[in-house]
Amino acid sequence: MSKSHKTAGAIDLDGVTYDWHLHCEPHLSDDEGWKGMTLSLVQRDAKRAALVEFPAPKRLLKGLPRGRLQLDDATIARSVRSALSAGWDPLSRGKPVVFSVDAEGN
């Protein structure tokens, strides 16, 4: 599995193209402690986005320094499938829908 340091791109799933970008890197929140990264997903030529929130990396919870984000196509594909199975309708209108996934995007 090849790791990539991209922060935006596109992925094809089942003949549909989804654009994604890194919406928010892991960060320390005053209210909630460490928060994980958030990806923004949108089906090409559709209106409604999905925000997929990952948990904070264990290394941050242990007080270790931040590392570079590692995003690969498989994690992004699992994130899109998770959002779709949880009820995201990219063709509807409205505010972005927020979904939480595990570290692998499930």
Side-chain angles (χ1 to χ4, degrees):
M1 182 184 317
S2 171
K3 298 288 183 179
S4 174
H5 299 291
K6 300 183 297 184
T7 59
I11 189 163
D12 288 320
L13 287 176
D14 304 325
V16 180
T17 302
Y18 296 90
D19 294 314
W20 65 271
H21 73 272
L22 181 64
H23 182 72
C24 185
E25 291 189 20
H27 65 282
L28 184 60
S29 168
D30 292 336
D31 299 335
E32 301 174 25
W34 281 103
K35 295 193 60 138
M37 73 175 167
T38 304
L39 286 181
S40 176
L41 305 171
V42 65
Q43 181 179 323
R44 196 159 288 167
D45 300 326
K47 300 278 184 201
R48 193 169 203 179
L51 297 177
V52 179
E53 296 180 340
F54 289 81
K58 291 180 182 179
R59 66 181 294 117
L60 297 177
L61 299 174
K62 294 178 181 177
L64 297 172
R66 288 185 203 203
R68 267 190 89 134
L69 294 175
Q70 305 270 321
L71 294 171
D72 58 17
D73 289 341
T75 302
I76 295 165
R78 285 190 298 269
S79 299
V80 171
R81 290 187 197 281
S82 294
L84 290 170
S85 67
W88 174 44
D89 180 8
L91 299 176
S92 66
R93 296 181 355 183
K95 294 190 287 187
V97 185
V98 180
F99 299 99
S100 295
V101 295
D102 64 12
E104 286 85 35
N106 296 314

